[in-house]
Amino acid sequence: MAGGRRKKQHFGRIHAFTCGKASFKGEHSLIGGPGFSRVVYCNDTDCFEASVLSYNSNYVRTTKYTLATFFPKSLFEQFRRVANLYFLICAILSFTPLSPYSALSNVLPLVVVMGATMGKEVLEDWRRKKQDIEVNNRKVKVCRGDGVFDIAKWKDLKVGDIVKVEKDEFFPADLILLSSSYDEAICYVETMNLDGETNLKLKQALDATSNLHEDSSFQNFKGIIKCEDPNANLYSFVGGLQLEEQQYPLAPQQLLLRDSKLRNTDFIYGVVIFTGHDTKVMQNSTAPRSKRSKIEKRMDKIVYFLFFILVLMSFIGSIFFGISTREDLENGRMTRWYLRPDDTTIYYDPKRAPVAAILHFLTALMLYSYLIPISLYVSIEIVKVLQSSFINQDGKMYYEESDTPARARTSNLNEELGQVDTILSDKTGTLTSNSMEFIKCSIAGTTYGRGITEVERALSWRKGSPLVQEVTGEEGQVEDPTEARPSIKGFNFIDERITNGNWINEPRADVIQKFLRLLAICHTAIPEVDEETGRISYEAESPDEAAFVIAARELGFEFYERTQTSISLRELDPNFGKKVERSYKLLNVLEFSSSRKRMSVIVRSEKGKLLLLSKGADSVMFERLAKNGREFEAQTKEHTNEYADAGLRTLVLAYRELDEEEYHEFNVEFTEAKNSLSADREELIEEVAEKIEKDFILLGATAVEDKLQNGVPECIDKLAQAGIKIWVLTGDKMETAINIGFACSFLRQGMKQIIISSETPETKALEKAGDKSAIAAAFKANVLRQINEGKESLTTSSENSEALALIIDGKSLTCALEDDVKDVFLELALGCASVICCRSSPKQKALVTRLVKVRTGKTTLAIGDGANDVGMLQEADIGIGISGVEGMQAVMSSDIAIAQFRYLERLLLVHGHWCYKRISSMICYFFYKNIAFGFTLFYFEVYASFSGQVAYNDWYLSLYNVFFTSLPVIALGVFDQDVTAKLCLKFPLLYQEGVQNVLFSWFRILGWALNGVLSATLIFFFCIRSMEHQAFRKGGEVVGLEILGTTMYTCVVWVVNCQMALSINYFTYIQHLFIWGGIIFWYIFLLGYGAMDPNISTTAYKVFIEACAPAPFYWLLTLFVLVASLIPYFIYASIQLRFFPLYHQMIQWIRNDGQSNDPEFCDMVRQRSLRPTTVGFTARFEASSKRFGEKLEGVHS
């Protein structure tokens, strides 16, 4: 339909927007003033006036750094971390005589660690850079003078250029629409990249430029646009076009935004007004809120604690050093004469002992720096990136239908996935598929459609009367009538009374005809014909609207063509018994809005009748019926309530005939309201529409099913067994939400429902009173009363171990979220097994999420798929976006994107648990190995009178965290697996280890720290006592500092690596390679480094090859210290495993003893998952079994 030329029509008469007939009033009078100073010289970018205006180029940069800013900005980011700043100070001090080791050995690890982190930043920024290069080098046709259009790159566009954009191309900058392939100069635009909406928007150029249909039309085209300055508002635009001395006002209807796509239109011509970072999409691009996991925050506290220990050790050491130094020279007598205190430097001068103590304090701060793991942050970043890649590559979270894998958009929150306490979920498109199917309808008081919804199946279970009996065959098997016919997306209607044209035999065939005709006409859908098959498909504003048009087509009223002034149908005519083509002149469209809750069209039939066709929510349609139009009202209301109970979305259909005079009067007022440029333009349009949308004749109602996504009930059941609380926040009405709750097993029979509603008799009585302030106060008091009554029920239920469900509507939620009520509301909500918030606005969703997150202090996860869920996703600790049919806005604002709700089960219970276990074990082990190493230095300091003498060679110190012990920790963080994925899902309560933070509690952290201190104590004292006076070589020589240091270091490397081997649950060849490879690499390093020139290797010169390796005592001592250091951990782990096993250890028993297939034993372990407050179908089955057992007991007694 975008092809041929059509007779020129004023499409502005049809849609509610202005078409260039407005005058310069209101905001347009501001043009030229502050904020409205932009001037664009159309098709004349080289003129002098344009050249002096230094507007941004169209080059877009989304990278974090440039070549010039990379080093300063990146270094600033690095040194914002306190640990890195500390190591920088140590590195600077290492160039002074205060340093206990060489400068190079201290600086190099810092450079390596920071280099790795900066390298990661470069890699991530390079990916952004490649994306920028691709976008900036896209091609578009640009007018180069004389009406010739050449191909140019997006980045080369200038303000004022005329561009030609063709079908399915993106707009390269913000443009003013000049003309299109339609004579009416309209075009269809998809704004999914901007606002997440998949529906097409209609734009129209000014009449003054609408005749520019050819390239050559722009040969002499010149104009000046004056408009607002760049801003972030997507939905407003104020400007004016000066063309041949005439002024024309510009509105948002002429504005085409960058990153929108041209659809259903062959081409458009537009003039560039905003480029690059001035475009509205770039003005809206803000960095997302930075989120940090709770483990990372606790890790910072541990680092601060270690800083405190480090400073304390340095302080104590400096005091003792000061006392010893002062006592070195008393009354001219030297105590430690071998140190020559009478002839020394300031660092050891007994006469200036306080100064020496202060200088020693600085030395000690540098010496004990190995307590702080320098490579911790970079190791965790590496591990998290690799963990994220495992999530991205998990084939079991790949949705084949849309070719969508899971995608971790940030790696910061991996371990947080294992600690989620509350999930806050949207309903439509998240729990349900947002794939609407026409399933039932009520026409002339008769209900049609025999399909059974999933909610009805749940209701049948709930009421104990299985609906499947209605559609079962002789063998008791369910017959699926849909198998006999091809599946049609959007249409799941089964009723032989009106399908296949049989409706003409129904008693009220005339009403059915009007009903189906209304479905085929009252919409804004656009037909698209498949050139190969001739099949018509529809581009609609919403899935509901597409379902209606498809239903009309399947029932005999096929909408096949739309022009700007007509809608053409192929109708089944009951008089002729065959399809005939009819065209309806489209006069006006009264568009749907959330406040109007209805949509209407005014058409003229071929017979000249003026018809107003309308469809809308029952709450607004029934009150607009004429007295003579209420024939089927009672039956239709009953049916719509039944449909709502079945979880269906309902709309009421009605019509009326208009007389010419009434329509003429309406059209004048409506046109005037459309052309208004005042701030209350929308209100004016609604007021005019309100006057004519009355006295309707009721035809019936439609019911479409938003089907549950596959696997949703099973997923909810598993998450509930894992102890995760699930709240549903939806914009749907209460009845629909409750019934979806039953289908998902959020709610179950026998579960007491606490309903806080604004639709109470007291509220209705208040509303009739009239005084707004009094109504608000009384309404709030009424909500508070309902909440307090709910709390009383909560107390009773906790005594009886009953589960409660809280259901609250949006109006009541507004009061419940006020400062003086929200704590009471939250207390009630937290005590309930299920919480459903109905009719919630996007802001309310975000506020509820914030309330739960802040007041409970526990991890919250929000999941949604639409633009209305963005606030909720950004407010929660973790935001999960579902890449559904509501666009990509939610995904773009999320931390992790998945294609289906059911993948949340694997994401949390498997990946979440693994990531939490790995990261917490990794951090504990990191601190353990650093404490073990750091305390050997401290003990040697004590042994050496706090002289600042280091036990180890400089390079031993430097490479400890970088090479000899870091890789095994990274392998632990990436590959360790305490429980297989299958068992994680089989025993969902395992997930509570993360929620309760069992594996990263202060008890566990301090336990590992104590283990580190114990290992250091055993290593130091065994080494020092056994080697102090012992002949070490064949010649009888005792050990020197270099041999003692090498032996102690060997013991540390063996102990911390073998401790790692004991801690690992799941060995891979990579872990073997890193653990044993780290130990072997230590010996290779000793050989290589010891063979270097003594000026380089210093105390390590041939120490291994000549002293340690030939001495059996060295090897025996290493073995003895290794066993002695690991025995305490081994004893503790054995006792804990035998008498106080953690849940994952119980599951490991099951696996190791071969009992994972023993149903009785597994059920015994799994029963811990089920509590009275658990939701899900397993809990529902348990509850019904319990009730059945109680009934049997009552019968027998």
Side-chain angles (χ1 to χ4, degrees):
M1 65 171 283
R5 310 232 65 84
R6 296 182 179 84
K7 185 180 175 184
K8 188 165 179 176
Q9 304 288 345
H10 289 291
F11 197 47
R13 289 178 22 241
I14 299 169
H15 279 262
F17 51 70
T18 176
C19 292
K21 300 175 186 175
S23 58
F24 282 84
K25 296 177 184 176
E27 288 184 324
H28 283 77
S29 63
L30 301 172
I31 293 173
F36 297 85
S37 61
R38 197 172 188 87
V39 181
V40 178
Y41 293 89
C42 307
N43 209 20
D44 197 11
T45 57
D46 297 325
C47 71
F48 174 75
E49 291 87 348
S51 62
V52 297
L53 297 169
S54 55
Y55 294 139
N56 277 341
S57 73
N58 203 38
Y59 183 85
V60 165
R61 182 176 68 82
T62 60
T63 55
K64 193 174 178 181
Y65 306 106
T66 63
L67 279 174
T69 62
F70 174 70
F71 277 103
K73 280 181 78 171
S74 183
L75 288 172
F76 174 74
E77 290 287 331
Q78 294 298 313
F79 292 123
R80 283 172 68 182
R81 287 177 174 163
V82 179
N84 283 352
L85 190 60
Y86 163 71
F87 286 117
L88 175 67
I89 293 167
C90 287
I92 293 167
L93 289 175
S94 68
F95 289 93
T96 70
L98 286 169
S99 177
Y101 35 64
S102 68
L104 182 62
S105 65
N106 188 252
V107 171
L108 190 64
L110 180 65
V111 170
V112 168
V113 168
M114 285 181 53
T117 310
M118 289 166 76
K120 174 178 168 279
E121 293 278 316
V122 167
L123 191 65
E124 288 179 352
D125 226 35
W126 174 242
R127 287 181 188 145
R128 295 188 199 105
K129 177 72 175 173
K130 284 202 292 187
Q131 225 169 12
D132 290 347
I133 290 170
E134 187 272 322
V135 168
N136 287 313
N137 287 298
R138 286 178 184 170
K139 303 291 196 299
V140 69
K141 290 181 179 176
V142 183
C143 182
R144 294 303 186 198
D146 298 327
V148 176
F149 280 74
D150 289 338
I151 300 291
K153 293 177 180 177
W154 279 23
K155 65 180 180 183
D156 297 328
L157 288 183
K158 296 177 186 175
V159 172
D161 277 336
I162 305 292
V163 297
K164 182 179 184 179
V165 179
E166 298 183 337
K167 187 178 178 181
D168 294 328
E169 288 182 352
F170 290 100
F171 299 123
D174 287 355
L175 313 175
I176 289 297
L177 176 63
L178 296 176
S179 64
S180 77
S181 55
Y182 290 106
D183 279 346
E184 302 88 352
I186 58 110
C187 69
Y188 295 96
V189 176
E190 184 186 87
T191 58
M192 194 168 72
N193 285 347
L194 301 180
D195 54 19
E197 296 178 12
T198 52
N199 56 303
L200 302 184
K201 310 287 193 305
L202 195 62
K203 301 285 185 177
Q204 185 174 30
L206 299 174
D207 278 352
T209 59
S210 60
N211 60 346
L212 302 168
H213 294 306
E214 307 293 337
D215 291 1
S216 56
S217 308
F218 292 91
Q219 185 170 355
N220 299 311
F221 176 80
K222 294 286 187 290
I224 298 173
I225 293 174
K226 294 180 180 179
C227 65
E228 65 188 23
D229 294 336
N231 61 71
N233 196 325
L234 294 173
Y235 306 107
S236 73
F237 177 75
V238 176
L241 170 64
Q242 182 182 327
L243 198 62
E244 296 174 357
E245 305 302 322
Q246 288 289 317
Q247 295 283 351
Y248 302 93
L250 296 170
Q253 200 50 46
Q254 286 84 46
L255 183 64
L256 305 175
L257 300 179
R258 181 186 172 113
D259 278 358
S260 302
K261 185 187 276 190
L262 183 66
R263 298 291 301 273
N264 294 56
T265 312
D266 284 351
F267 61 83
I268 64 100
Y269 293 103
V271 59
V272 176
I273 55 162
F274 297 127
T275 47
H277 290 274
D278 287 344
T279 58
K280 289 185 181 281
V281 68
M282 294 306 295
Q283 293 275 316
N284 274 277
S285 61
T286 55
R289 188 174 67 86
S290 179
K291 296 181 181 180
R292 295 184 74 213
S293 71
K294 288 180 174 58
I295 283 188
E296 204 172 323
K297 290 172 186 172
R298 181 167 286 190
M299 184 178 77
D300 287 346
K301 291 177 183 174
I302 300 170
V303 170
Y304 294 140
F305 173 71
L306 287 177
F307 268 127
F308 172 74
I309 297 294
L310 185 153
V311 171
L312 185 64
M313 287 163 62
S314 304
F315 182 71
I316 292 168
S318 62
I319 289 173
F320 278 100
F321 176 76
I323 293 168
S324 301
T325 302
R326 191 185 63 193
E327 292 173 352
D328 274 345
L329 196 62
E330 287 186 6
N331 302 322
R333 183 171 169 271
M334 293 181 287
T335 310
R336 293 184 293 184
W337 54 268
Y338 49 87
L339 294 177
R340 292 301 306 274
D342 58 328
D343 183 22
T344 185
T345 61
I346 189 173
Y347 303 105
Y348 305 97
D349 191 348
K351 295 172 184 175
R352 289 191 284 178
V355 177
I358 292 168
L359 294 172
H360 177 272
F361 176 75
L362 295 174
T363 300
L365 281 179
M366 298 169 69
L367 181 60
Y368 301 141
S369 64
Y370 296 96
L371 275 175
I372 312 296
I374 189 171
S375 57
L376 173 61
Y377 288 105
V378 70
S379 299
I380 285 177
E381 283 183 10
I382 291 167
V383 164
K384 285 185 175 182
V385 167
L386 293 171
Q387 286 177 349
S388 295
S389 71
F390 287 163
I391 292 172
N392 296 344
Q393 292 166 20
D394 189 339
K396 291 186 178 173
M397 293 197 294
Y398 168 74
Y399 189 48
E400 193 172 353
E401 191 175 310
S402 62
D403 187 27
T404 311
R407 189 157 58 93
R409 302 185 69 249
T410 175
S411 59
N412 292 349
L413 304 169
N414 295 352
E415 68 276 20
E416 200 90 325
L417 289 170
Q419 296 183 281
V420 174
D421 178 72
T422 307
I423 293 173
L424 300 109
S425 174
D426 175 42
K427 183 187 77 67
T428 306
T430 303
L431 299 175
T432 58
S433 61
N434 205 14
S435 174
M436 307 297 178
E437 290 190 339
F438 188 92
I439 192 168
K440 293 175 188 283
C441 62
S442 169
I443 311 174
T446 305
T447 184
Y448 295 97
R450 305 192 194 282
I452 294 174
T453 68
E454 291 175 51
V455 174
E456 284 176 308
R457 289 194 181 92
L459 281 167
S460 69
W461 275 89
R462 174 180 160 201
K463 293 174 180 175
S465 56
L467 280 169
V468 289
Q469 290 173 0
E470 294 177 23
V471 287
T472 52
E474 292 177 8
E475 303 298 320
Q477 297 297 314
V478 176
E479 294 176 351
D480 187 359
T482 58
E483 289 180 7
R485 59 184 174 79
S487 173
I488 298 165
K489 187 178 180 183
F491 188 72
N492 188 21
F493 186 83
I494 307 157
D495 197 322
E496 65 286 349
R497 289 177 293 170
I498 60 171
T499 52
N500 302 319
N502 293 335
W503 61 265
I504 60 175
N505 302 317
E506 285 293 290
R508 299 304 303 266
D510 58 326
V511 179
I512 296 175
Q513 182 184 26
K514 289 171 183 172
F515 180 93
L516 296 176
R517 183 181 288 147
L518 192 152
L519 281 183
I521 295 174
C522 185
H523 56 78
T524 55
I526 303 161
E528 286 191 334
V529 182
D530 189 313
E531 292 177 3
E532 293 180 8
T533 63
R535 185 81 174 163
I536 295 174
S537 59
Y538 301 104
E539 285 275 359
E541 289 196 357
S542 66
D544 314 52
E545 189 147 275
F548 295 140
V549 185
I550 291 165
R553 181 188 70 195
E554 296 302 314
L555 296 173
F557 285 71
E558 183 180 39
F559 159 54
Y560 69 91
E561 186 183 23
R562 175 192 287 279
T563 70
Q564 308 319 313
T565 55
S566 68
I567 283 183
S568 301
L569 309 182
R570 295 188 185 101
E571 296 184 8
L572 179 60
D573 192 312
N575 298 321
F576 301 107
K578 64 176 183 178
K579 284 194 175 183
V580 296
E581 292 190 357
R582 289 203 174 106
S583 181
Y584 296 85
K585 190 174 183 183
L586 185 58
L587 301 174
N588 303 91
V589 176
L590 311 181
E591 292 166 5
F592 177 88
S593 74
S594 55
S595 58
R596 282 167 40 76
K597 295 183 181 176
R598 62 191 180 277
M599 178 218 172
S600 304
V601 295
I602 299 175
V603 296
R604 191 186 294 276
S605 70
E606 289 180 344
K607 293 179 180 177
K609 282 185 181 178
L610 280 169
L611 299 173
L612 171 61
L613 310 177
S614 187
K615 63 184 181 191
D618 52 6
S619 59
V620 296
M621 292 300 290
F622 284 127
E623 65 188 31
R624 285 176 167 72
L625 297 179
K627 286 183 181 178
N628 64 341
R630 298 176 179 268
E631 184 181 348
F632 322 114
E633 184 181 12
Q635 302 98 307
T636 307
K637 276 186 177 177
E638 186 183 334
H639 294 155
T640 53
N641 289 333
E642 285 174 10
Y643 298 156
D645 286 343
L648 301 174
R649 291 184 170 205
T650 59
L651 282 182
V652 172
L653 276 59
Y655 84 103
R656 67 176 288 217
E657 288 188 21
L658 303 175
D659 58 50
E660 293 291 343
E661 188 181 336
E662 183 184 11
Y663 173 69
H664 177 73
E665 188 181 324
F666 158 79
N667 196 38
V668 170
E669 289 183 22
F670 189 61
T671 305
E672 190 179 324
K674 283 192 302 177
N675 289 338
S676 166
L677 281 175
S678 62
D680 58 351
R681 176 174 171 271
E682 296 302 323
E683 287 79 1
L684 291 173
I685 291 172
E686 286 187 18
E687 279 176 25
V688 177
E690 187 85 19
K691 290 178 186 175
I692 203 165
E693 289 175 318
K694 62 183 182 181
D695 299 333
F696 285 122
I697 296 168
L698 179 65
L699 294 173
T702 59
V704 294
E705 180 184 19
D706 190 0
K707 296 180 75 69
L708 283 178
Q709 287 185 14
N710 290 337
V712 164
E714 294 82 358
C715 175
I716 287 169
D717 186 57
K718 275 289 197 302
L719 295 173
Q721 287 186 54
I724 301 171
K725 302 178 193 75
I726 305 173
W727 294 25
V728 177
L729 311 177
T730 176
D732 273 348
K733 55 186 173 184
M734 192 173 281
E735 298 80 7
T736 309
I738 287 173
N739 288 304
I740 289 290
F742 275 104
C744 296
S745 295
F746 281 128
L747 307 174
R748 60 174 179 262
Q749 191 181 4
M751 181 185 272
K752 184 176 177 184
Q753 295 177 12
I754 299 171
I755 297 177
I756 300 174
S757 171
S758 56
E759 299 294 317
T760 60
E762 296 95 326
T763 310
K764 288 180 180 176
L766 284 169
E767 284 173 352
K768 289 176 184 175
D771 185 357
K772 286 189 177 180
S773 59
I775 290 170
F779 181 70
K780 183 177 176 180
N782 185 34
V783 170
L784 194 55
R785 178 185 58 76
Q786 292 182 69
I787 291 173
N788 287 324
E789 284 173 5
K791 283 183 69 181
E792 288 170 18
S793 303
L794 196 61
T795 311
T796 313
S797 74
S798 59
E799 291 169 3
N800 303 332
S801 296
E802 288 178 351
L804 292 179
L806 173 64
I807 299 148
I808 183 168
D809 66 8
K811 218 170 176 183
S812 305
L813 190 59
T814 304
C815 294
L817 291 172
E818 288 183 14
D819 290 340
D820 54 339
V821 184
K822 63 185 179 187
D823 288 334
V824 191
F825 165 67
L826 184 63
E827 189 183 340
L828 170 62
L830 292 175
C832 294
S834 301
V835 180
I836 299 175
C837 301
C838 316
R839 295 293 194 198
S840 308
S841 67
K843 188 177 181 182
Q844 283 178 325
K845 290 183 180 184
L847 289 173
V848 170
T849 306
R850 182 187 300 170
L851 178 66
V852 177
K853 179 180 76 170
V854 173
R855 296 302 166 113
T856 64
K858 295 186 176 171
T859 304
T860 55
L861 179 148
I863 179 167
D865 72 319
N868 61 332
D869 300 316
V870 168
M872 177 172 77
L873 300 187
Q874 291 181 334
E875 192 61 57
D877 292 302
I878 308 167
I880 306 286
I882 290 189
S883 44
V885 298
E886 286 195 26
M888 297 298 285
Q889 190 83 345
V891 169
M892 297 305 288
S893 304
S894 68
D895 303 305
I896 296 169
I898 54 177
Q900 296 273 286
F901 183 88
R902 68 176 184 267
Y903 297 146
L904 197 59
E905 175 187 345
R906 186 172 178 85
L907 183 67
L908 298 188
L909 303 190
V910 178
H911 289 285
H913 172 73
W914 283 349
C915 289
Y916 166 73
K917 173 77 168 63
R918 289 164 178 169
I919 292 285
S920 54
S921 299
M922 175 185 172
I923 295 170
C924 286
Y925 179 79
F926 236 111
F927 289 119
Y928 156 78
K929 74 182 183 67
N930 275 67
I931 287 169
F933 185 59
F935 267 80
T936 59
L937 287 168
F938 177 69
Y939 287 139
F940 187 77
E941 271 293 279
V942 177
Y943 181 75
S945 298
F946 297 99
S947 61
Q949 178 60 52
V950 189
Y952 307 121
N953 180 280
D954 294 352
W955 285 102
Y956 297 179
L957 292 168
S958 301
L959 300 181
Y960 177 76
N961 273 319
V962 179
F963 289 116
F964 304 132
T965 59
S966 61
L967 291 180
V969 198
I970 291 173
L972 169 77
V974 176
F975 298 109
D976 195 34
Q977 216 180 84
D978 57 341
V979 174
T980 62
K982 186 178 177 183
L983 291 175
C984 281
L985 296 172
K986 195 169 187 177
F987 299 97
L989 194 64
L990 173 65
Y991 187 80
Q992 278 295 306
E993 286 191 346
V995 177
Q996 296 168 19
N997 207 11
V998 172
L999 304 179
F1000 202 61
S1001 62
W1002 283 112
F1003 175 79
R1004 191 173 174 86
I1005 293 163
L1006 292 173
W1008 274 100
L1010 187 63
N1011 188 24
V1013 173
L1014 185 59
S1015 295
T1017 307
L1018 292 170
I1019 290 168
F1020 177 79
F1021 285 103
F1022 274 128
C1023 286
I1024 205 79
R1025 294 301 171 207
S1026 61
M1027 300 177 79
E1028 196 171 13
H1029 306 298
Q1030 178 71 35
F1032 191 73
R1033 301 193 193 183
K1034 288 181 181 178
E1037 300 98 326
V1038 293
V1039 299
L1041 176 60
E1042 67 283 359
I1043 297 173
L1044 174 67
T1046 302
T1047 307
M1048 271 172 49
Y1049 196 92
T1050 302
C1051 292
V1052 170
V1053 170
W1054 268 98
V1055 168
V1056 298
N1057 278 292
C1058 289
Q1059 176 69 71
M1060 164 69 76
L1062 280 179
S1063 306
I1064 284 176
N1065 296 288
Y1066 178 78
F1067 269 102
T1068 63
Y1069 71 90
I1070 294 175
Q1071 282 156 314
H1072 280 297
L1073 176 67
F1074 285 173
I1075 291 171
W1076 314 121
I1079 295 170
I1080 293 166
F1081 182 67
W1082 159 240
Y1083 289 116
I1084 294 169
F1085 172 78
L1086 268 179
L1087 285 170
Y1089 183 53
M1092 291 181 184
D1093 187 278
N1095 292 322
I1096 298 171
S1097 57
T1098 60
T1099 58
Y1101 181 66
K1102 295 198 175 178
V1103 71
F1104 181 69
I1105 198 76
E1106 290 186 357
C1108 296
F1113 188 77
Y1114 168 79
W1115 301 104
L1116 288 170
L1117 181 62
T1118 304
L1119 179 62
F1120 178 76
V1121 170
L1122 174 64
V1123 173
S1125 299
L1126 294 179
I1127 280 176
Y1129 173 81
F1130 191 77
I1131 292 169
Y1132 166 79
S1134 301
I1135 294 169
Q1136 186 262 322
L1137 183 64
R1138 181 69 185 85
F1139 298 105
F1140 313 102
L1142 296 172
Y1143 198 69
H1144 74 270
Q1145 291 170 329
M1146 293 172 67
I1147 297 168
Q1148 286 170 344
W1149 278 356
I1150 293 173
R1151 184 188 64 194
N1152 296 335
D1153 294 349
Q1155 291 177 307
S1156 57
N1157 295 318
D1158 180 347
E1160 192 175 336
F1161 190 81
C1162 289
D1163 282 345
M1164 182 187 77
V1165 176
R1166 215 169 28 219
Q1167 273 303 314
R1168 292 169 59 179
S1169 298
L1170 298 174
R1171 296 169 302 288
T1173 53
T1174 307
V1175 297
F1177 60 73
T1178 306
R1180 181 170 71 181
F1181 178 74
E1182 292 288 328
S1184 60
S1185 300
K1186 185 181 174 185
R1187 283 197 307 275
F1188 183 69
E1190 287 169 355
K1191 282 181 185 175
L1192 282 178
E1193 283 176 18
V1195 170
H1196 291 310
S1197 61

